[in-house]
Amino acid sequence: MRRVAVVGVGMTKFGVLADKSLREMAFEAFKEALEDANLAPKDIESVYTAINADHFSSQVSPGASVMEYLGLNPKPNIRIEAACASSSAAIRLAWLDVASGLHDIALALGVEKMNEAGRTTAEIIQFMGTGGDITWENHYGPTFPGFYAIFAINHMHKYGTTKEQLAMVAVKNHYYGAMNPKAHFQREITLEQALKSPMISYPLQLYDCCPISDGAACAILASEDVAKKISDTPIWITGLGLGTSSVALHNREDYATIPGTVEAAKQAYKMARVEPRDVDVACVHDCFTIAEIMAYEDLGFCKKGEGGKLIEEKQTYIGGKIPVNVDGGLKAKGHPTGATGAAMTYEIVKQLRGEAGKRQVPNAEIGLTHNVGAHGTYVCVHIYRR
Amino acid sequence: MAVTQFSFDVRVIVPPHTKLKKFFEELEKGKIMGTKCKKCGKLYFPPQADCNKCLSSDMDWVEIKGTGKLITYTVTHVAPKAYTNIAPYVIGVAQLDEGPKVTAWVRDIKPEEIKVNMKVKLVTEKCEDGITRYILKPEG
Ligand SMILES: [Zn+2]
């Protein structure tokens, strides 16, 4: 296998982007990544388009539609689906494509348009709920906040995690979101505001939940030879892990952990030959505040059950033991499902290049992305090095 | 011109019953059935037509007693479109004494009275939307 680097990244602002279609968002992210890498469209040899659900775009094979709009036909393209981890899965496949020697330059692009005029939150929640088991769970009206609330109650019961600790994750991520011009929400919140917000699915309140966002993000990957020729700041992908967990809750052993994360992390650390303590900056999947606390533990940033304490001691702020989601996370930056993993990569690349501005983690050398599909059905962990 | 604005189908989904038809017929009669692999003895609840432990598809139907304890739960306040009229409702996960776990509504108890580890029993109920479901109720 050849070494592979990220040589260009691009992303749209995340938010309710009523004036942009799926393809237009993809184009915007693609253009920024080409300029970032100093490449032209003709240089892209292979494309992986990540889109979570056809239902959002009402277009079957939406990847093909994006490919056409980018002007990249008749080059190779596959649409990748791994729920909310789709674009991390696309990066994994682009890595394999380049590492194997099949191509020298590959694009992994994620995009999602979840909001459409006339589509209500209750409708979007119902559609998202079909990510739970369709035979045995769906007729109980499950929701994604509900799945994570079920994990939260179990975590609180087992480890004494508190609602205040959950809210502290939201406060941190909004604090950093306020520094990110591409974030869906760019304002700080207080602990009191979070704890007084409306109940969504007990014990998760409004500020425990990420928003429903639109957006696109992408990464251009190149082989070592090409990367060294075209880039002064290649960011190497040194570890990749992919784990899975059951769709149905009744087939899980433990509800205070994401088994797929534990597996993906183990693979990625081993491949990169690093330990959790070596990571300087991480983007983890905080679709809900409890998800970030479970990620701290499942990724080995602290012992199992001590995630609540880690945020309470502010160890995941810049200056703490391990800065996490200093781009605002899914919570404040937004979560356009198909684009989320590539947007994590965008942030880690900027951090490792030292281009993250106000939210720069000083001297970051090793970065990690952790991207969860649904409630753990797919989990990608990638490790990056400058 | 009619504009649909990419709207969603928001009906309650009840999937086709295929090989597990008997489960749904028995459920209507008030019985909750699982499957047990004739070859290796693994008990499946909810039932499966195939055993992924030994790859056999030769299964016995067995009735589930349904006693157990609640492991975790949530109270759904913001509900999917088709369920907004019954919210708030409780979805719980229980550990059955017989081995398997089950996800279902927890009914006949106020949400604020629910406790992790409380004793529950799985029973059938014809619900207000006309669908017969197994649900968890407090016991003892
Ligand atoms: Zn068997």
Side-chain angles (χ1 to χ4, degrees):
Chain A
M1 291 285 199
R2 306 191 292 177
R3 290 180 80 209
V4 178
V6 181
V7 295
V9 287
M11 72 178 276
T12 64
K13 182 193 176 300
F14 284 0
V16 180
L17 308 181
D19 59 338
K20 289 171 192 167
S21 72
L22 187 86
R23 301 191 289 194
E24 291 159 0
M25 293 189 295
F27 186 88
E28 191 180 321
F30 177 53
K31 188 176 167 186
E32 185 189 338
L34 283 177
E35 286 167 2
D36 186 44
N38 203 16
L39 291 173
K42 64 169 175 44
D43 299 320
I44 305 294
E45 297 170 353
S46 177
V47 181
Y48 296 85
T49 41
I51 297 140
N52 177 8
D54 297 2
H55 302 63
F56 288 131
S57 54
S58 296
Q59 164 84 57
V60 171
S61 289
S65 173
V66 166
M67 189 69 184
E68 172 194 353
Y69 199 75
L70 300 184
L72 297 176
N73 294 134
K75 286 175 187 173
N77 170 237
I78 307 175
R79 177 266 184 95
I80 306 300
E81 187 280 318
C84 315
S86 295
S87 53
S88 287
I91 288 169
R92 180 186 172 92
L93 290 169
W95 179 89
L96 268 168
D97 193 331
V98 175
S100 70
L102 190 62
H103 297 104
D104 285 329
I105 302 178
L107 168 72
L109 184 144
V111 58
E112 207 79 52
K113 186 156 173 70
M114 301 176 76
N115 298 285
E116 289 288 353
R119 188 183 284 172
T120 66
T121 302
E123 289 169 353
I124 296 172
I125 283 178
Q126 178 157 349
F127 167 64
M128 299 282 288
T130 59
D133 188 278
I134 203 71
T135 306
W136 301 115
E137 291 172 345
N138 196 261
H139 56 291
Y140 296 101
T143 66
F144 263 88
F147 287 128
Y148 279 88
I150 279 167
F151 299 157
I153 289 283
N154 196 237
H155 203 277
M156 292 161 91
H157 178 77
K158 263 192 187 138
Y159 305 118
T161 306
T162 64
K163 279 180 56 51
E164 286 73 16
Q165 289 169 337
L166 296 180
M168 284 171 193
V169 172
V171 171
K172 171 179 70 71
N173 294 352
H174 274 266
Y175 172 75
Y176 287 116
M179 298 179 198
N180 185 351
K182 295 206 173 189
H184 189 148
F185 297 131
Q186 298 177 26
R187 60 189 167 79
E188 295 184 35
I189 60 160
T190 64
L191 194 67
E192 202 188 16
Q193 258 176 305
L195 291 170
K196 276 190 178 161
S197 65
M199 191 57 73
I200 303 296
S201 197
Y202 178 81
L204 300 182
Q205 294 173 240
L206 184 64
Y207 280 112
D208 288 303
C209 307
C210 68
I212 295 165
S213 316
D214 311 324
C218 66
I220 299 171
L221 276 57
S223 63
E224 182 166 16
D225 288 355
V226 173
K228 283 183 168 165
K229 223 176 283 168
I230 65 170
S231 176
D232 297 330
T233 54
I235 301 299
W236 305 97
I237 299 178
T238 57
L240 299 106
L242 177 56
T244 56
S245 323
S246 74
V247 174
L249 291 178
H250 63 253
N251 281 325
R252 302 250 178 134
E253 290 294 319
D254 185 347
Y255 300 97
T257 182
I258 303 283
T261 297
V262 175
E263 173 64 23
K266 194 172 82 183
Q267 295 170 12
Y269 288 135
K270 187 179 172 205
M271 181 176 163
R273 293 196 193 94
V274 297
E275 304 278 328
R277 64 167 180 275
D278 300 322
V279 178
D280 298 311
V281 57
C283 286
V284 311
H285 200 91
D286 60 323
C287 47
F288 302 94
T289 51
I290 183 63
E292 180 163 323
I293 286 176
M294 289 197 297
Y296 296 161
E297 300 167 356
D298 292 342
L299 293 168
F301 296 156
C302 65
K303 285 194 200 128
K304 194 71 212 163
E306 294 182 358
K309 205 175 97 189
L310 198 72
I311 180 67
E312 192 162 351
E313 291 174 350
K314 296 197 161 196
Q315 296 289 2
T316 51
Y317 278 79
I318 294 172
K321 222 159 118 187
I322 167 73
V324 173
N325 290 340
V326 298
D327 57 351
L330 282 59
K331 179 67 206 72
K333 189 176 70 177
H335 183 27
T337 49
T340 293
M344 289 174 168
T345 301
Y346 178 96
E347 176 68 10
I348 292 299
V349 165
K350 295 279 178 185
Q351 287 283 348
L352 299 187
R353 285 182 191 162
E355 294 173 359
K358 271 194 282 186
R359 53 181 205 282
Q360 178 67 46
V361 174
N363 305 314
E365 272 184 40
I366 296 176
L368 177 147
T369 59
H370 162 251
N371 191 193
V372 178
H375 45 328
T377 50
Y378 309 93
V379 184
C380 290
V381 173
H382 299 164
I383 295 170
Y384 302 79
R385 196 169 201 140
R386 82 176 181 212
Chain B
M1 188 179 71
V3 178
T4 57
Q5 298 288 11
F6 297 2
S7 61
F8 291 139
D9 185 346
V10 288
R11 289 170 294 182
V12 171
I13 301 169
V14 181
H17 302 154
T18 59
K19 288 184 176 180
L20 299 173
K21 193 161 171 271
K22 184 179 170 69
F23 171 83
F24 295 94
E25 287 167 358
E26 293 295 326
L27 194 73
E28 291 294 342
K29 294 182 213 157
K31 274 191 181 177
I32 302 170
M33 308 295 284
T35 51
K36 193 169 186 175
C37 176
K38 280 187 187 172
K39 198 172 162 198
C40 77
K42 186 171 175 184
L43 175 67
Y44 287 92
F45 183 77
Q48 281 193 194
D50 308 294
C51 177
N52 57 24
K53 192 178 163 200
C54 74
L55 304 184
S56 171
S57 297
D58 197 7
M59 310 292 264
D60 273 328
W61 285 100
V62 291
E63 190 170 352
I64 297 292
K65 286 189 208 78
T67 56
K69 61 174 190 173
L70 190 72
I71 304 172
T72 182
Y73 68 97
T74 183
V75 189
T76 307
H77 291 264
V78 176
K81 184 74 181 280
Y83 298 84
T84 43
N85 57 345
I86 60 153
Y89 52 90
V90 180
I91 300 174
V93 181
Q95 172 68 61
L96 300 181
D97 297 335
E98 291 149 299
K101 297 189 194 72
V102 63
T103 306
W105 278 338
V106 183
R107 291 193 146 186
D108 287 4
I109 182 169
K110 286 184 189 145
E112 56 275 20
E113 286 168 5
I114 293 173
K115 295 247 177 333
V116 170
N117 283 337
M118 65 184 269
K119 282 189 171 176
V120 287
K121 185 168 170 35
L122 200 64
V123 297
T124 64
E125 186 170 290
K126 185 145 183 127
C127 300
E128 49 272 48
D129 58 2
I131 298 171
T132 301
R133 295 172 172 87
Y134 51 74
I135 59 168
L136 292 161
K137 293 197 171 181
E139 205 196 27

